[in-house]
Amino acid sequence: QVQLVESGGGSVQSGGSLRLSCAASGYTYSRYCLGWFRQAPGKEREGVAVLASDGSTDYADSVQGRFTISQDNAKNTLYLQMNSLKAEDTAMYYCAAHPHIGLCRRREADFGSWSQGTQVTVSS
């Protein structure tokens, strides 16, 4: 499985920005679907954004236009740039990966490799 190490969480005021990073190692397939998920207290884990091996992306409606998923292939690092943060963005954030065979979608059950998670807290 792919190993994922996440960093970049923290606390920020509403309207601020944060960038999450996810360093990957142990790739054994040539193509991967990469994603960011989040889980707020008392809520189910939500798919925030995915990046397919062809470069296409998909975002949850709640973050569309504010968050950007990207990848630095040379560094094997996935990013989530979060702008215009809102209190409702407060959650534990996780990066995830699975071999891109078939669909690349924001579906938790599709992903087999997960990071340890990092907390993002947005104060209003």
Side-chain angles (χ1 to χ4, degrees):
Q1 282 192 343
V2 178
Q3 290 76 50
L4 301 170
V5 179
E6 191 176 355
S7 60
S11 298
V12 65
Q13 289 192 332
S14 179
S17 298
L18 281 175
R19 189 178 78 160
L20 304 182
S21 300
C22 177
S25 61
Y27 283 133
T28 56
Y29 287 82
S30 59
R31 303 189 309 159
Y32 280 83
C33 172
L34 305 173
W36 288 97
F37 290 76
R38 68 185 180 185
Q39 188 167 21
K43 295 187 177 181
E44 294 186 353
R45 191 171 296 187
E46 171 191 22
V48 174
V50 291
L51 173 64
S53 57
D54 64 358
S56 61
T57 58
D58 182 58
Y59 295 91
D61 289 344
S62 58
V63 307
Q64 182 75 49
R66 299 188 298 121
F67 290 12
T68 303
I69 187 171
S70 63
Q71 181 183 20
D72 185 331
N73 289 321
K75 297 181 179 179
N76 278 344
T77 300
L78 180 70
Y79 300 102
L80 184 69
Q81 178 67 44
M82 304 184 293
N83 299 328
S84 302
L85 283 161
K86 304 175 182 180
E88 50 263 43
D89 295 318
T90 295
M92 186 71 78
Y93 283 72
Y94 303 85
C95 59
H98 70 79
H100 191 179
I101 303 171
L103 298 176
C104 181
R105 53 190 177 178
R106 291 178 289 107
R107 184 172 178 264
E108 180 182 358
D110 291 349
F111 289 80
S113 298
W114 292 86
S115 67
Q116 78 281 11
T118 189
Q119 178 68 36
V120 171
T121 302
V122 184
S123 57
S124 57

